[in-house]
């Protein structure tokens, strides 16, 4: 009965997410995230800098053999970045729950990437080196669904592999449809002896206000005042053994 209730809750939460996405996608709100806006360019650059520092420390400098999955891949942007950095399309996969986003990702990305509409049940246990989710968990308000997705990501990751989460440090008081991902959740969902945590991206409302100013001003604020950084990247290594997971 508990399992059936959980599935019903997941279904209701997924329908809520789908409804919000349909209302948001294609609307005027998208203009704030246009790729050419100065604040968006800075956000993209900040994420690339942090990833360029973390990936060599975790999965390694040579990405050609890395088997990676991007959960909620959107238009495939992160997978394209991995390809630019040396990953092979045949070793990459992206999942989505929205067919139109999956179609966009397939059309814009090199042939050979594996695309999957739905949950992670199609992926075998311990089959991947890197499993990522970008602003996925903040869109999930239901605690059980968050835990379930985190467990599924951990399941498909091989021992010694890495999970990577990019998401919000703070809840948005103007958007009740998203919720921050807490440090407690990160440690509970992905217990690991080896992990990395980096904050990045100037608070978007502030970044938009400062967009017309010289780039050094928002960059200096983001560098010198960590509380003004709105996002984080968390990477956790799946233990090779259970004993390793218990280490402080």
């Amino acid at each position: 009965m508990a399992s059936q209730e959980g599935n019903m809750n997941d279904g209701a939460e997924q329908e809520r997410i789908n409804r919000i996405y349909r209302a948001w996608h294609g609307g005027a709100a998208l203009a704030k995230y246009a790729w050419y806006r100065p604040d968006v360019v800075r956000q993209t650059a900040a994420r690339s800098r942090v990833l360029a520092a973390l990936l060599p420390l975790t999965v390694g400098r040579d990405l050609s053999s890395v088997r990676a999955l991007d959960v909620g891949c959107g238009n495939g942007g992160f997978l394209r970045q991995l390809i630019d950095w040396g990953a092979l399309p045949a070793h990459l996969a992206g999942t989505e729950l929205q067919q139109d986003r999956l179609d966009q990702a397939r059309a814009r990305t090199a042939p050979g990437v594996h695309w999957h509409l739905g949950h992670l049940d199609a992926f075998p246990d311990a089959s991947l080196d890197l499993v990522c989710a970008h602003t996925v968990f903040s869109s999930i308000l239901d605690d059980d669904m968050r835990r379930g997705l985190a467990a599924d990501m951990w399941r498909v990751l091989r021992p010694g592999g890495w999970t990577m989460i990019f998401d919000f440090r703070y809840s948005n008081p103007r958007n009740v449809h998203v919720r921050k991902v807490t440090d407690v959740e990160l440690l509970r969902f992905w217990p690991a002896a080896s992990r990395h945590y980096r904050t990045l991206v100037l608070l978007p409302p502030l970044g938009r206000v400062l967009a017309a100013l010289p780039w050094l001003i928002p960059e200096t604020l983001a560098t010198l005042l960590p509380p003004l950084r709105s996002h984080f990247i968390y990477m956790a290594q799946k233990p090779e053994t259970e004993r390793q997971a218990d280490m402080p």
Side-chain angles (χ1 to χ4, degrees), residues 185-199:
E185 286 178 306
L186 294 175
L187 296 174
R188 182 184 301 147
F189 292 165
W190 300 284
S194 182
R195 50 186 175 262
H196 302 273
Y197 183 88
R198 301 285 190 276
T199 57

Side-chain angles (χ1 to χ4, degrees), residues 52-216:
L54 288 180
L55 290 179
L57 295 176
T58 54
V59 297
R61 296 181 178 180
D62 182 2
L63 301 183
S64 62
S65 62
V66 172
R67 298 163 299 171
L69 167 65
D70 191 15
V71 178
C73 63
N75 66 14
F78 177 64
L79 294 174
R80 289 193 294 276
Q81 186 168 46
L82 289 180
I83 293 170
D84 285 344
W85 288 350
L88 298 182
H91 292 167
L92 305 180
T95 70
E96 255 299 339
L97 297 175
Q98 311 290 340
Q99 182 66 59
D100 59 333
R101 301 190 82 185
L102 202 65
D103 292 341
Q104 290 175 9
R106 181 183 289 109
R108 298 175 184 180
T109 309
V113 175
H114 304 279
W115 305 105
H116 178 70
L117 181 67
H119 299 285
L120 306 191
D121 49 308
F123 296 88
D125 294 359
S127 59
L128 297 159
D129 304 303
L130 177 66
V131 182
C132 314
H134 296 74
T135 57
V136 169
F137 282 85
S138 53
S139 297
I140 302 172
L141 303 184
D142 182 79
D143 291 332
D144 290 337
M145 189 172 177
R146 281 191 176 193
R147 280 191 294 269
L149 177 57
D152 224 10
M153 292 174 63
W154 211 229
R155 173 187 65 79
V156 301
L157 192 65
R158 68 166 177 82
W162 291 83
T163 189
M164 186 181 76
I165 307 300
F166 171 77
D167 225 313
F168 300 150
R169 297 178 68 198
Y170 306 118
S171 294
N172 184 345
R174 297 181 180 180
N175 187 352
V176 298
H177 304 299
V178 296
R179 193 184 82 201
K180 69 179 181 179
V181 181
T182 68
D183 295 348
V184 171
E185 286 178 306
L186 294 175
L187 296 174
R188 182 184 301 147
F189 292 165
W190 300 284
S194 182
R195 50 186 175 262
H196 302 273
Y197 183 88
R198 301 285 190 276
T199 57
L200 64 155
V201 177
L202 191 66
L203 289 163
L206 183 57
R208 294 184 192 111
V209 170
L210 302 178
L213 299 179
W215 67 269
L216 187 60

